[in-house]
Amino acid sequence: MADIKIITTEDGSHSLYHEGLKETYHSFHGALQESIHVFIEKGLRFWRTKNGLPKEVDIFEVGFGTGLNALLAAKFATENEVKINFTSVEPFPVPMDTINQLNYIDQIGKEELKETFKQLHTAKWDELVEINPFFSLKKVKGKLEDFTGEKQFDIIFFDAFAPNKQSELWTEEMMQKCYQLLRKDGVFTTYSAKGQLKRDLKKVGFEVETLAGPPGKKEMVRGIVN
């Protein structure tokens, strides 16, 4: 992937810039703070609190990318002693030589996560791998359009490239697929707050919430299966 390069976002954490798409993998206002706000706080922590703090959670992610969301979920799992089964689809894995240069461990400030981050990226594709007693990972090398899951999930981290860059993933059809992948009381969370996205989510059955976005971004969206 010669068309990606490492950039430093405003909170000091790294992201990647895809030169072909002219798009960053995270908000340039701050990769780390965006992932924590959108996916961990408004997704994972919200779902657990809403559902009585269950001790096991199934998460489905669209876009493994740099592995930042998976790393933060693994950190959450260990700190809260909750078993997280994490499935992520990614058609274009980032090369390890790029991954090895990312500064997430330094930015988070927990050296013990260094080995976890390495394991996330060296885990075999299309196999369920136990990273530690609280976190298991299955990376699926492929596209959301082609994913056929044999189970449902509690939370979807929808972290595809922006709608104007990867429009095929933001269609009503894909939102319907996400709805069907979620269990009752399941949560869909994403950084985008496009009007068309909200209309499509409502049309397929989600209760839609427009929330305050991470620093530098006004809004984000969360969908709930009732």
Side-chain angles (χ1 to χ4, degrees):
M1 291 182 70
D3 58 347
I4 62 170
K5 64 179 182 180
I6 295 173
I7 62 169
T8 302
T9 61
E10 289 178 1
D11 69 356
S13 61
H14 283 156
S15 185
L16 301 178
Y17 179 74
H18 192 296
E19 294 178 331
L21 292 175
K22 295 184 170 24
E23 179 75 344
T24 59
Y25 276 59
H26 308 90
S27 167
F28 64 86
H29 295 293
L32 181 58
Q33 63 188 13
E34 178 187 48
S35 288
I36 291 171
H37 180 86
V38 174
F39 301 108
I40 303 303
E41 296 302 321
K42 302 303 182 184
L44 175 54
R45 193 181 302 280
F46 168 79
W47 180 88
R48 285 197 75 232
T49 302
K50 181 175 182 287
N51 290 283
L53 302 179
K55 285 297 185 181
E56 188 161 359
V57 188
D58 293 311
I59 297 176
F60 180 75
E61 176 186 50
V62 179
F64 185 73
T66 65
L68 177 56
N69 296 334
L71 177 66
L72 292 171
K75 175 178 177 286
F76 182 98
T78 303
E79 290 176 351
N80 293 275
E81 297 188 352
V82 53
K83 179 73 170 75
I84 293 181
N85 310 302
F86 197 96
T87 301
S88 185
V89 291
E90 174 59 63
F92 306 111
V94 178
M96 274 306 294
D97 61 342
T98 301
I99 294 300
N100 289 334
Q101 298 177 62
L102 298 174
N103 69 354
Y104 299 143
I105 306 305
D106 291 340
Q107 289 293 305
I108 294 169
K110 288 191 174 290
E111 188 64 25
E112 62 269 27
L113 289 175
K114 188 173 184 178
E115 182 59 27
T116 299
F117 192 53
K118 179 182 177 182
Q119 287 177 298
L120 295 175
H121 284 282
T122 57
K124 289 185 177 180
W125 289 86
D126 301 304
E127 290 185 19
L128 182 63
V129 179
E130 184 180 275
I131 303 300
N132 62 52
F134 292 108
F135 193 84
S136 294
L137 172 68
K138 184 176 182 180
K139 296 186 296 185
V140 179
K141 192 174 181 180
K143 299 179 178 180
L144 174 62
E145 301 96 302
D146 303 322
F147 179 78
T148 52
E150 66 284 350
K151 70 173 188 178
Q152 289 181 301
F153 300 88
D154 301 304
I155 306 165
I156 291 178
F157 289 177
F158 202 86
D159 202 14
F161 285 118
N164 64 333
K165 303 293 184 178
Q166 211 169 22
S167 59
E168 69 276 10
L169 291 182
W170 299 85
T171 63
E172 181 186 327
E173 181 184 5
M174 288 300 101
M175 296 308 107
Q176 179 70 56
K177 184 166 191 171
C178 287
Y179 186 86
Q180 292 169 343
L181 281 170
L182 285 168
R183 300 183 178 114
K184 187 178 184 303
D185 296 318
V187 167
F188 169 102
T189 187
T190 187
Y191 63 86
S192 179
K194 294 287 186 183
Q196 187 61 51
L197 169 65
K198 289 187 271 191
R199 289 189 290 273
D200 288 341
L201 287 171
K202 286 178 183 175
K203 191 171 182 180
V204 303
F206 283 101
E207 175 189 330
V208 177
E209 299 177 314
T210 303
L211 308 172
K217 299 188 79 171
K218 186 179 178 182
E219 296 175 339
M220 59 163 284
V221 162
R222 182 166 66 204
I224 299 171
V225 177
N226 288 320

